[in-house]
Amino acid sequence: MNALPHETYIAAVTDALTAAEVEPADWWTSDSETDPYATGPDAGCTAMLTAVMTWDSDHPAIGPDGPAHGMVLLWEHPAEQWQHAERRADGSCEQFEFLPGLGLYAEPAAVVTVVRALLAGQPAPAEAAAEWAHADLTRASVDRWDAS
C-alpha cells in the first residue's frame, strides 16, 4: 500500500501533539473525500486529500470553557488553512471554521499551540504560523498526486 502524500506531515503533527500531551483520540488520512472546492465540469467527481483528528469530551486537556463534547481538527487539500469544529453530543460536528493563522503546512508546534487554545476554550492565535521545514517536499508530493 502506498502512503498518501500528506501522511509524513500529518504524522509530524500528531507526533508533536503526542509529545505535548494533547494527542488526538483518533486520527486518519484519506484520499477518498469528494472535493467541495472543485469547479468546472468535474465538480463533484474529484477527490481530495484529507486528515481528520478527533478529541473526545474526556480528554484531560479540555478545560472548563473548552468544547464540552470534544473537537475535530481538519486538514483538506486544496483548502489553504486547517479547520476545526466542536462536536455535538451525538458525535457530529458543528460548522467547521477555518483557522486563519494555521496554513496548510504550518509548523507542527504551531498546530499544538492552536489545539491547546481550542481545547481550553480560548481563541486560536491569529498570527500566521511559520511553515513546516519540510513543507516544500510535501507540497511537491501533493501536487504530483493532484496532477495524476
Side-chain angles (χ1 to χ4, degrees), residues 3-39:
L4 294 174
H6 60 314
E7 285 182 355
T8 302
Y9 171 61
I10 299 303
V13 169
T14 57
D15 288 349
L17 291 164
T18 299
E21 298 182 353
V22 289
E23 69 280 356
D26 196 12
W27 69 275
W28 61 91
T29 59
S30 174
D31 65 352
S32 62
E33 297 294 322
T34 302
D35 183 351
Y37 308 101
T39 59

Side-chain angles (χ1 to χ4, degrees), residues 5-6 9 49 75 77 80 103-106 131-132 134-146:
H6 60 314
Y9 171 61
L49 297 171
W75 184 100
H77 167 76
E80 295 298 323
L104 199 57
Y105 301 102
E131 202 168 66
W132 184 47
H134 306 290
D136 287 343
L137 293 172
T138 302
R139 186 179 292 108
S141 294
V142 167
D143 289 347
R144 281 191 299 278
W145 177 90
D146 202 28

Side-chain angles (χ1 to χ4, degrees), residues 69-70 99 114 127:
H69 303 292
L99 294 162
V114 168
E127 61 272 0

Side-chain angles (χ1 to χ4, degrees), residues 57 67-72 85-96:
S57 60
H69 303 292
M71 182 183 81
V72 175
E86 289 191 16
R87 295 171 82 177
R88 297 182 182 107
D90 67 3
S92 64
C93 290
E94 298 289 340
Q95 181 69 32
F96 277 92

Side-chain angles (χ1 to χ4, degrees), residues 47-67:
M48 68 178 177
L49 297 171
T50 61
V52 178
M53 298 177 191
T54 64
W55 285 262
D56 296 333
S57 60
D58 61 350
H59 195 287
I62 294 181
D65 297 325

